[in-house]
Amino acid sequence: MTSAYDTIVVGAGLAGVTAARELRAQGRRTLLLEARDRIGGRIRTEEFAGLPVELGGAWIHWNQPHVWAELTRYGLAVTGDEEPEEVLIPTEEEPLALPADDVMTRVTDLLNRVFRGTDRYFPRPYDPLFRADALTEFDRCSLADWLDRLELTEDERTMVASALSTELGGSSTRGAVSMLAQWWALGDLATHGYYSLVSLRPEAGMGALLDAVLADARTELRLDTPVAAIDDDGRRVTVTTRAGERFTADSAVVAVPVNVWPDIVFTPGLPGAHTATAEAGVGVPDSVKLWLRLATDRGPFLAQGAAGAPISTLMPHALVDDGQIMVGFSVDPGLDISDHAAVEKAVRVLVPEAELIEYRAHDWGRDPFAKGGWGNRRPGALTTAHRELRRPHGRLVFAGGDLADGWAGCIDGAVESGLKAARAVAGLDR
Ligand SMILES: Cc1cc2nc3c(=O)[nH]c(=O)nc-3n(C[C@H](O)[C@H](O)[C@H](O)COP(=O)(O)OP(=O)(O)OC[C@H]3O[C@@H](n4cnc5c(N)ncnc54)[C@H](O)[C@@H]3O)c2cc1C
């Protein structure tokens, strides 16, 4: 029997659409199956207060070569957000407002001290296991373990934990310090500074990039089609949707988030590294992104929450007549984003005088087709599972930002992984 398609791609996030485009360039007949009523997955450009805003992934940088090349390819311009003039930092009483340049320079210097010398673990940062021999013990460390080894004052330790709190999902014990060290090496953050990671985004929105890649993929796309099962008999792959439709192909690219792998029945079952990684979960589990219109007389400001605060960070986006548009993150499972009063109360922990006029939020941790947010590798995961996860399993190739060699858990990683998945599919036939 011949298969109806050469390759089925499951999941139309940036990794999936990139893989579909590359497979098409190889001359393959592809089918792209997506559970939601839209493409993009953890990238979602929407309108808020009359402005295009990102409810998911937003920031990119020229130190992220895969996504940067995509912007060049499609002629997409970048822009930045409003620069903060002051930073509000938490104290035991009222938050303290300090000049932004001073605080950001102090944080940058401190983080560079924390990661000084760790580039020896990642001399070729896109080949993260190049120094696997030296990495094992370091990879087992959480950020907290690593900070224990450094001579930092209590204030400095609090400042590091607070600056990285959003990235690490509010816990300095859950995420591997090796992921942050790899970022420092990948992005030369010792030169560009940590804040370079949140400085640029596509002017037309990340959605414009997704649309451009999809148009180039010229693939058959089915939205509202969650996949329930993937069966690989060694010659063909059969993909069954929750609605009971079946599609066959010579191979499949599984480009859904690692955290939703357990919701798909794989036959034969997934290897141990896959099941263990999905069980432990990747990425920040409680991850809410908020867009807020605040009435306040302040100029543009950045506000940092103390450990355990219901909102971990507020960042300036744009000034408007009656205040400002800010983007915020919460990694607190207790924040009820459907309750205006609760969100305003959470904002006032960071900015006591602010009035919340309107807001929009998405909870990626509770989203059934994401089950988590941005990148956050678990201690030990790089050295114990990464190599295995990158290998094809029979006629299945796994893709996604979660699995990237370079900027894992990031937009650049999604593109990298989509490109590599298509090459891996070509390799199956050799
Ligand atoms: C709030 C937030 C902020 C972020 N900020 C940044 C940032 O500023 N910069 C950055 O670099 N990265 C950021 N990230 C991370 C970045 O957005 C992701 O790493 C990247 O978009 C992942 O792309 P992907 O294609 O691998 O996965 P996804 O985008 O998750 O795509 C997977 C697709 O699979 C689909 N799917 C799931 N289950 C099924 C099923 N059963 N059947 C069919 N389809 C299914 C999903 O609906 C989805 O469309 C952020 C993420 C979040 C959530």
Side-chain angles (χ1 to χ4, degrees):
M1 279 179 73
T2 49
S3 295
Y5 297 93
D6 293 316
T7 306
I8 296 173
V9 179
V10 182
L14 188 53
V17 294
T18 303
R21 180 191 67 191
E22 300 302 302
L23 290 162
R24 168 78 192 199
Q26 291 172 16
R28 288 172 197 272
R29 279 168 307 148
T30 58
L31 170 66
L32 182 54
L33 298 177
E34 168 53 47
R36 303 176 200 263
D37 61 0
R38 60 172 183 87
I39 63 163
R42 280 171 283 173
I43 289 170
R44 181 175 167 197
T45 309
E46 296 275 331
E47 212 180 274
F48 173 74
L51 299 172
V53 298
E54 308 290 352
L55 280 168
W59 290 295
I60 47 172
H61 196 259
W62 62 77
N63 57 25
Q64 300 177 322
H66 300 93
V67 68
W68 205 259
E70 296 293 335
L71 297 187
T72 307
R73 179 179 184 141
Y74 296 114
L76 296 171
V78 291
T79 186
D81 298 283
E82 195 69 46
E83 296 276 335
E85 285 168 2
E86 56 179 21
V87 175
L88 301 189
I89 55 169
T91 68
E92 276 172 18
E93 286 110 41
E94 290 280 281
L96 182 65
L98 297 170
D101 284 350
D102 294 358
V103 177
M104 289 162 91
T105 305
R106 241 192 107 199
V107 170
T108 301
D109 291 348
L110 185 55
L111 291 178
N112 284 342
R113 249 173 75 204
V114 168
F115 294 106
R116 187 176 301 145
T118 58
D119 53 354
R120 70 180 178 277
Y121 297 111
F122 297 104
R124 296 186 190 177
Y126 279 92
D127 181 0
L129 292 169
F130 183 70
R131 286 304 315 272
D133 57 315
L135 256 175
T136 310
E137 202 213 323
F138 181 62
D139 186 42
R140 278 197 211 113
C141 287
S142 64
L143 176 69
D145 298 331
W146 184 246
L147 296 183
D148 287 345
R149 298 181 187 191
L150 306 178
E151 284 182 11
L152 297 178
T153 64
E154 210 39 55
D155 273 359
E156 287 173 332
R157 211 182 146 111
T158 308
M159 193 177 243
V160 173
S162 162
L164 297 175
S165 140
T166 300
E167 289 308 340
L168 295 178
S171 154
S172 51
T173 56
R174 195 193 293 116
V177 73
S178 69
M179 184 194 77
L180 297 165
Q182 192 190 353
W183 286 6
W184 249 256
L186 283 164
D188 188 11
L189 297 190
T191 307
H192 294 302
Y194 173 58
Y195 293 102
S196 66
L197 293 183
V198 291
S199 58
L200 296 171
R201 58 191 163 75
E203 198 169 33
M206 284 301 309
L209 175 59
L210 261 304
D211 290 343
V213 179
L214 181 70
D216 253 2
R218 286 174 292 142
T219 183
E220 184 180 338
L221 165 69
R222 294 204 180 202
L223 298 174
D224 296 308
T225 309
V227 164
I230 303 179
D231 200 298
D232 172 10
D233 69 5
R235 288 169 301 120
R236 275 191 320 167
V237 176
T238 304
V239 176
T240 308
T241 69
R242 287 191 195 166
E245 278 181 291
R246 284 152 68 89
F247 302 96
T248 59
D250 296 339
S251 54
V253 173
V254 182
V256 304
V258 168
N259 292 354
V260 307
W261 287 350
D263 300 336
I264 296 176
V265 178
F266 290 90
T267 309
L270 293 181
H274 294 64
T275 46
T277 305
E279 239 165 59
V282 301
V284 171
D286 302 300
S287 36
V288 170
K289 188 165 177 181
L290 304 109
W291 284 91
L292 313 111
R293 187 153 67 96
L294 299 184
T296 159
D297 292 334
R298 285 180 196 277
F301 65 96
L302 189 152
Q304 207 66 60
I311 289 180
S312 51
T313 318
L314 283 175
M315 297 165 72
H317 177 71
L319 298 180
V320 287
D321 286 348
D322 54 357
Q324 46 187 297
I325 308 291
M326 299 199 75
V327 55
F329 293 89
S330 171
V331 291
D332 175 3
L335 179 65
D336 178 359
I337 57 166
S338 65
D339 180 349
H340 186 109
V343 174
E344 184 169 65
K345 193 169 163 211
V347 168
R348 285 188 174 164
V349 174
L350 278 68
V351 198
E353 81 286 357
E355 185 195 331
L356 179 61
I357 304 168
E358 59 172 333
Y359 72 99
R360 177 102 194 256
H362 188 80
D363 185 338
W364 294 93
R366 292 195 171 97
D367 180 323
F369 298 119
K371 294 194 169 173
W374 50 91
N376 184 16
R377 206 161 53 214
R378 300 283 178 273
L382 177 61
T383 43
T384 59
H386 182 73
R387 212 187 295 272
E388 188 56 32
L389 300 181
R390 301 274 299 107
R391 274 198 198 111
H393 174 51
R395 303 203 65 76
L396 307 187
V397 171
F398 291 86
D402 298 342
L403 306 176
D405 285 322
W407 291 95
C410 298
I411 293 166
D412 189 76
V415 179
E416 180 215 300
S417 155
L419 297 173
K420 287 183 174 170
R423 289 192 65 82
V425 168
L428 294 177
D429 300 335
R430 283 200 286 271

